[in-house]
Amino acid sequence: MSAPLAPKALKRLFDKIGTVDAVGIEERVLKYGTRSIKTDSKLWGLRCAVSMVDLTTLEGKDTPGKVASLCQKAIEPHEFSDTPKVAAVCVYPSMVKHARKYLGVSPVKIASVATAFPSGQAPLKTRLAEVRYAVAQGADEVDMVINRGAFLSGEYALVQDEIAAVVQACGKSALKVILEVSELETYDSIRAASCLAMQVIREGDFIKTSTGKTGLNATLGNNQVMLEAIRDHYLATGVAIGMKPAGGIRSAKQSLQFLTAVKETLGDRWLTNKRYRFGASSLLNDLVRQIEKQRTGAYQAPYAFSEAAESY
Amino acid sequence: MKRLLITKTPKVYVGGAFIRSESGRVFAMKDADGNFFANIPQCTRKDLRNAVEAAAKAGPSWAKRTPYNRGQIIYRLAEMIEARSLELAEAITLGSTKKSLVTAARNEVAASVDRLVYYAGWADKLEQVLGNVNPVAAPYFNFTMTEPMGIVGLIASQEASLLGLISLIAPAIVAGNTVVASASELNPYPAVVLGEMLATSDLPGGVVNLLTGFHRELVPTFATHAHLRAVIAEATADERKTLALGAAETVKRIHTFKAEDNINWYSDSFESVYRIQDTLEYKTVWHPIGA
């Protein structure tokens, strides 16, 4: 029943929001790699990127101890330079109370994934209960996943209603809506899902590329599609939505290209961690490594930084 | 009909791939008669940085291979060079600024092959010689064993363009280090050809990374790069000073040969287990003796 529904519903949706010129997007994002960002502006960009990191651990083997060291890293990414704190730590709901304990009064926020992350394949009631649990435990931000099954079968109203229900369950906590772009497959679908989500979320909420649990994560291409959707939404309604690419951004160089995309698409007002985040774990160490390189003039070894995975 | 001259623009072997310098720069190489011969990549400190990243990636699995396997791979490299020794000998004479004899070049290739075979043999024997079970006055086994240092920077001989390079590479990689080497700038061509041979050998990409370019541009970065754990270099007095100062900052091991000493790379002193020791760390472990 749902199969024939999809094309019609999709057409109605695209009549309203417009489609994406995929080739144009690819060409556009290629240019971001060509900007020459050196010395002072590079340092500014690196520090800005550090302040936007949602330092993430989302593994079955997470323990309170692991969360404790993650929180310490979030508060003080590197001991020898005045590196800014990261924006937030991102953990599973059961780890929120531990993060709360270790972060104390620091301004670093706690983001919790919820709604049966990463698949979202649980009854709505269960998903909402999980959101309320995370918020009650002290999560400042909630990262939800959309119902991709419903989206792909054309039940856009259902997708939107579920997001609206999660917005309510969040209360004062900010919401990040994960589209899981790799499962949406086309730029058109990414734009459609972005617009559906933005119609029901609030100023200060985010849309987010992916869970980091699938093969393809944040790329400059899907980042660009979502940034342009945010721009169109802002111009139409005046509501400023934030953006969070997640997964796959590992090097400082990549993060500067993403920041270039933000500046050239949405402008300086989005170059703040209130409106732009990086969902990442290994990115942070590469950022502080490059900041140290700028400070000392010497290339640094990755294992000289805390929480490094590299040892050779 | 007169053929069009085929001049090469060779690339260097880094991370298992052939790259140009990220700067896009090249320098012209002339043959012994002073005719233009090839444009050689003029690598920069950023190329060095990228090469170190490539070496870091290849390092853990190279160090984890059995010593026996490392020995086999290095021996096979020697086999391959032996089979293509004429090509390498030609590369040595072609790029040499001095008119050198073909026989001298062939001798240099032969000595290089022998050197690889020599160090290949050490792969599964160095632990017997350098490691030890130490007598201690308590009920413990006390072992000392060797570990590779990690990524080693090599600054190769200016004159012995092939033998000088291989004499530094072989003892470093046999124990599980990975290397980033700066080739002779007077005659970089044998290093380019060697790269083409390394690419078809069984040596995993990234274990040996070869850069061409000017030593004066690369030596300061070799000295200060914290990820390089040791630098083995044929260096001038100025370069030795730069290396010593930079290395002090990062607590790096430096071993230099004086370029002004007119080093004889054929010397037996370059075939020694202590050349391998130059890029090793010792680890001592105490283990209680069971009842």
Side-chain angles (χ1 to χ4, degrees), chain B residues 130-170:
Chain B
L130 299 175
N132 199 29
V133 179
N134 309 312
V136 288
Y140 291 96
F141 290 121
N142 186 284
F143 309 100
T144 296
M145 48 198 137
T146 65
E147 284 187 340
M149 294 189 81
I151 308 164
V152 176
L154 306 175
I155 298 165
S157 165
Q158 294 284 20
E159 297 295 338
S161 52
L162 181 69
L163 183 59
L165 180 61
I166 297 238
S167 298
L168 298 187
I169 292 175

Side-chain angles (χ1 to χ4, degrees), chain A residues 8 21 28 79 129 132 167 206 209 219 239 246 278 286 312:
Chain A
K8 271 188 212 158
D21 168 9
R28 178 81 185 93
E79 55 184 331
R132 288 193 202 96
V167 169
F206 291 73
T209 56
T219 62
V239 177
F278 290 105
D286 198 48
Y312 189 87

Side-chain angles (χ1 to χ4, degrees), chain A residues 69-131:
Chain A
S69 59
L70 192 80
C71 291
Q72 186 54 45
K73 182 77 179 170
I75 295 169
E76 196 175 21
H78 185 49
E79 55 184 331
F80 294 125
S81 54
D82 56 339
T83 318
K85 294 173 175 42
V86 306
V89 294
C90 183
V91 293
Y92 273 120
S94 60
M95 290 295 149
V96 170
K97 64 169 181 280
H98 303 296
R100 185 81 280 161
K101 188 170 106 198
Y102 297 117
L103 286 175
V105 293
S106 110
V108 177
K109 295 207 163 27
I110 299 171
S112 170
V113 295
T115 71
F117 180 93
S119 70
Q121 298 282 17
L124 181 61
K125 207 172 136 192
T126 320
R127 282 182 272 156
L128 292 176
E130 196 185 357
V131 172

